[in-house]
Amino acid sequence: MGLIEEVAKDFQASLAERIEVLEKAVRSLQVGNFDSAQREHVIDEAHRLAGGLGTFGYAKGSELARAIEHLLTEKSEFGKQELNQFLQLLAQLQQEIDQSPVSGMISQPQTGIMPLVLVIDDDHLFCESLRQAAPMRGLQIEIADKSTPLHQITNNPPSVILVSFDRNSMAARLTLLEKLKVHFPAIPVLTLAEEDRLDTRITVARLGMGRYLVKPTTTDEVFEAIAKILPSPTIPNAKVMIVDDDPVQLKALKALLQPWGVQVTCVGNPQQFWQVLISTEPDLLLLDLEMPKFNGFELCRVVRQDSKYADLPVLVVTAHTSTSSIQQVFAAGADEFIAKPIVEPELVTRVLSRIERTRMQQQLLRCQQQQLQVSPKETKIDLLTQVASRHYLAEFLEQQWQRLIHKRSWLCLIICDIDHFQAYNYHYSYQTGNTCLQQVARTICQCIDPSRDLVARSGADEFMIVLPDTSLDSALQVVERIQQAIATLQISHPSLTRNSHITLSFGITGAILTPEKSYRNLIATANQALYTAKARGCNTYCLYPL
C-alpha cells in the first residue's frame, strides 16, 4: 500500500471518532452543559475535519464541517434555532461521509516511475524502435491512438509529447499542435517532420514548440532532443518544514512531497516550532494558519523578525481566502498562500518552484558578492541587469518613506515579474533567460523618470519600481507604458498559448504616507496585488490601495 493510500485509510478510520465529537457537542447543548473548553475542542475538531474531508475527496462534506466550525465560532449562545441548524448540518455531513469520496482530489505521485513520452506518429516501425530503446534512456514510451490523443493526455499526462507529421497529415497535426499549446501549455512538445521546409519551421516556431527535428533521424537524436526539453522533476536536497496541529494533514502533506525528493520535517505542536526550525534549517516553511497556542500569523512574524531567517520562503495553508484574510497573510510576511482543500499538482509546483527561485536568487547574490568583494549591504547594483539591488532598494524605500511622511505626499510601489519564466529557462537555457532579464530591465527603466524613480531587481525574475511623489493614477500610467514596451519587444515564449511572447504581471499599491504605516506594509500589499494578478491569468495588473 502506498503512503497516500495509507493516509486516506487512516483518515477514513478516524471519521467515526471525529463525528462522535460533534454528536457529543449536540448532546451537551441539548442539556445546557456546553462549556467553553468543549466549544474550543469542537471548533478545532470541525476545522481539522473540514481540511481532511476536502483533501480526501469529500468536497461537500468539507463545506458542511466548515459551516459547523463557523456556527460554533460566531454564535456565543445557542438557542433552539442554532441547535436545529447544528443538527441539520451534522445530519447532512453524516450523509456525505456515508457516500464514496470523489477520486482525484489527492493522488500518489509517480515516484520511481520513468518519465513518460507520448508519441503521436503513424510510423509503427519507428515507434517500436523508440519503445525498445526508451528503458535504456530512463524513459517510457506510450503510442497515442489516432482517435483521441487529447483524451489520452488528460487521463495520463506525459512529461514530453512527440508529434510527427508528413505532407498528408500536416494540416491535421498542426491543428493538434495548436490544441496542445492551449490545453497543455506546460508540457514540452517535440516535432518531427518528414520534409525540411522553412514555411513549416516558421509555422511550428510561431506555436512555440520545444524542438524541431527532420527525418531521417536516429533514435539517439530523438532521445537527445527529449533530454534537452525534459523538465527537471526534483530539486536536490530540498528541505521543507511543515507546521500543522492536524496529524492527518501532516501525514498527507508529507506523502505528497516526499516522492519528489523533498526532505520533510513535520511539527504537530506549534510550541516546538523554533527549536525544530533552528535544528532543521529548512529551505521552505509550510504553515497552517489556525492552530492552538501559536497560530500561523504569529509564527510567520517570528521568522520575519529574525535576521537569519528573514528571507526564508513561507507558504501558508488556509481555508479562508477572502480578500481580508489573504491581506492578513501577506501582511504577516508570507510569500504565498495555498487554499484548502489542497490539490497535489498545485502544492508540489508551488513548493518546488519557490525553492528553486530562492536558490537562484541566493546563487546570484553570492556571485555578485564574489565579483564585487563587498558585503550584501554595500551591493547597490544588480550585476546582471544593472538596476538597483534589493539591498539598496530597502535603503531607498526607507529614505523616501521618511522624506515623504513630512511632506504628506504620495509614494507608490509596483512589483512585477515575468510570467512563466521558469518554463522559459527550461526551454531555452538560463543563459538565454539572463538575456531576457536584461532586456526586460532595460525596458522598464525606459518607462520611468530616472531622476526620481527607482527600478530594483528584487527576485530571480521579479522587479520593484518605487515611484516617489506619484499618485495611483500616474502609477497606472507607468504600468501601461511598460506593458506596451514589453509587447513591442516580442520576445518569444514557448510556454504561452497563442500569444507566445514574454509578458509581465503587476501588483500596484500606494498611499499618502502617514507615520502609523511602514514601507513593509507597502511591499506586502503590492505582493498581494501581484498574486491576484497572477491568479487572474497573468499579463495583467491588480491595484490595491494601502
Side-chain angles (χ1 to χ4, degrees):
M1 179 186 297
L3 188 52
I4 288 292
E5 288 81 359
E6 181 183 339
V7 176
K9 186 177 180 180
D10 289 347
F11 178 73
Q12 288 280 356
S14 72
L15 282 177
E17 183 178 346
R18 290 166 178 254
I19 294 296
E20 175 62 22
V21 173
L22 303 182
E23 291 174 342
K24 284 183 178 178
V26 170
R27 292 194 291 270
S28 296
L29 284 166
Q30 288 172 332
V31 299
N33 189 27
F34 191 62
D35 58 25
S36 59
Q38 186 179 8
R39 177 189 291 271
E40 292 300 321
H41 175 61
V42 177
I43 289 173
D44 289 343
E45 193 59 54
H47 174 73
R48 296 191 190 101
L49 186 58
L53 289 171
T55 301
F56 293 104
Y58 296 95
K60 179 62 175 178
S62 179
E63 294 176 8
L64 292 167
R66 191 82 61 206
I68 292 174
E69 177 193 359
H70 291 166
L71 179 65
L72 291 167
T73 303
E74 296 168 3
K75 302 293 183 181
S76 57
E77 295 185 5
F78 261 64
K80 185 177 181 180
Q81 181 179 349
E82 290 78 14
L83 181 57
N84 287 336
Q85 187 178 352
F86 193 170
L87 285 168
Q88 290 175 2
L89 290 171
L90 186 55
Q92 293 173 17
L93 178 58
Q94 186 64 66
Q95 288 178 355
E96 289 295 321
I97 290 174
D98 290 341
Q99 299 178 15
S100 298
V102 178
S103 61
M105 186 64 69
I106 186 169
S107 60
Q108 179 70 45
Q110 295 186 347
T111 175
I113 297 179
M114 294 181 290
L116 174 65
V117 179
L118 181 67
V119 178
I120 303 174
D121 194 326
D122 298 329
D123 187 340
H124 300 296
L125 291 177
F126 181 71
C127 291
E128 188 57 33
S129 65
L130 288 175
R131 192 201 302 273
Q132 292 180 4
M136 299 296 294
R137 295 280 189 155
L139 301 170
Q140 56 176 331
I141 297 291
E142 180 179 328
I143 311 301
D145 57 46
K146 298 179 181 179
S147 56
T148 53
L150 288 180
H151 178 69
Q152 284 185 251
I153 297 169
T154 302
N155 291 338
N156 187 20
S159 301
V160 175
I161 302 172
L162 187 152
V163 178
S164 176
F165 56 85
D166 55 24
R167 182 175 299 178
N168 294 328
S169 64
M170 183 180 300
R173 292 291 161 83
L174 288 176
T175 300
L176 173 61
L177 289 176
E178 290 181 354
K179 292 180 179 179
L180 290 174
K181 294 307 292 182
V182 171
H183 295 284
F184 309 100
I187 301 179
V189 178
L190 173 67
T191 53
L192 182 58
E194 284 202 351
E195 294 182 303
D196 192 2
R197 296 168 54 93
L198 177 59
D199 57 348
T200 306
R201 283 182 176 270
I202 290 176
T203 301
V204 173
R206 286 173 177 168
L207 293 172
M209 296 298 108
R211 285 290 187 275
Y212 189 97
L213 295 178
V214 180
K215 289 184 178 180
T217 186
T218 65
T219 55
D220 285 342
E221 289 172 334
V222 172
F223 287 127
E224 287 172 7
I226 290 172
K228 291 179 180 178
I229 63 175
L230 190 66
S232 176
T234 61
I235 297 177
N237 303 316
K239 295 189 292 184
V240 172
M241 177 174 159
I242 306 174
V243 186
D244 195 314
D245 63 315
D246 185 351
V248 173
Q249 285 291 326
L250 279 177
K251 199 170 184 180
L253 291 170
K254 184 176 183 179
L256 290 174
L257 291 172
Q258 272 191 332
W260 299 91
V262 178
Q263 302 175 37
V264 180
T265 301
C266 294
V267 180
N269 182 357
Q271 297 182 66
Q272 299 174 350
F273 169 77
W274 191 253
Q275 180 182 354
V276 177
L277 176 70
I278 60 178
S279 63
T280 303
E281 298 285 340
D283 296 297
L284 181 140
L285 278 177
L286 203 57
L287 299 178
D288 184 37
L289 273 190
E290 298 181 22
M291 296 181 289
K293 193 67 178 178
F294 305 132
N295 61 42
F297 293 118
E298 294 167 329
L299 297 182
C300 188
R301 291 190 185 100
V302 165
V303 171
R304 292 294 177 248
Q305 289 171 350
D306 188 87
S307 59
K308 181 176 181 180
Y309 300 107
D311 295 326
L312 179 66
V314 178
L315 273 62
V316 166
V317 180
T318 176
H320 304 294
T321 55
S322 65
T323 301
S324 59
S325 298
I326 300 308
Q327 190 168 5
Q328 285 183 288
V329 168
F330 287 115
D335 295 284
E336 295 184 47
F337 75 92
I338 298 176
K340 290 182 179 179
I342 296 167
V343 182
E344 175 212 339
E346 180 188 12
L347 173 73
V348 173
T349 300
R350 299 273 285 279
V351 168
L352 295 183
S353 62
R354 177 58 67 169
I355 293 175
E356 182 179 41
R357 184 174 177 177
T358 302
R359 287 187 175 182
M360 287 173 58
Q361 183 176 328
Q362 292 171 345
Q363 183 178 11
L364 178 66
L365 181 60
R366 285 194 295 269
C367 291
Q368 291 176 335
Q369 293 175 25
Q370 290 172 1
Q371 292 184 34
L372 295 178
Q373 295 184 342
V374 295
S375 67
K377 292 183 179 179
E378 295 171 324
T379 308
K380 294 188 176 183
I381 301 297
D382 177 76
L383 287 182
L384 177 64
T385 61
Q386 294 300 297
V387 297
S389 69
R390 64 192 184 96
H391 300 287
Y392 180 66
L393 169 70
E395 179 183 331
F396 183 81
L397 266 174
E398 179 66 33
Q399 291 172 352
Q400 294 300 315
W401 191 276
Q402 296 302 324
R403 180 178 72 83
L404 295 172
I405 280 179
H406 297 298
K407 288 181 62 178
R408 293 280 178 168
S409 182
W410 278 91
L411 177 62
C412 284
L413 178 67
I414 301 168
I415 302 181
C416 61
D417 72 6
I418 302 173
D419 298 323
H420 310 290
F421 191 64
Q422 182 177 340
Y424 183 90
N425 279 330
Y426 279 147
H427 180 79
Y428 287 120
S429 68
Y430 284 103
Q431 183 175 359
T432 305
N434 288 342
T435 302
C436 175
L437 285 169
Q438 291 168 340
Q439 289 178 277
V440 169
R442 284 196 299 269
T443 302
I444 294 174
C445 289
Q446 292 166 4
C447 299
I448 65 162
D449 181 353
S451 66
R452 179 192 63 191
D453 307 329
L454 181 78
V455 178
R457 187 181 180 197
S458 52
D461 60 338
E462 180 183 272
F463 298 90
M464 287 193 187
I465 306 162
V466 185
L467 305 173
D469 295 304
T470 303
S471 67
L472 284 172
D473 287 340
S474 298
L476 275 174
Q477 294 174 12
V478 172
V479 168
E480 290 169 356
R481 288 200 298 270
I482 295 172
Q483 284 183 310
Q484 293 172 3
I486 294 295
T488 303
L489 292 177
Q490 290 196 324
I491 303 173
S492 178
H493 194 321
S495 77
L496 298 182
T497 53
R498 297 185 184 277
N499 187 5
S500 69
H501 293 109
I502 283 290
T503 59
L504 271 62
S505 293
F506 300 82
I508 313 164
T509 190
I512 295 176
L513 302 190
T514 55
E516 64 269 13
K517 300 172 184 176
S518 80
Y519 74 85
R520 297 186 185 278
N521 300 125
L522 203 71
I523 294 174
T525 305
N527 263 319
Q528 178 191 352
L530 175 62
Y531 183 86
T532 303
K534 289 285 190 183
R536 290 175 178 172
C538 302
N539 192 22
T540 187
Y541 62 80
C542 180
L543 187 153
Y544 285 162
L546 184 62

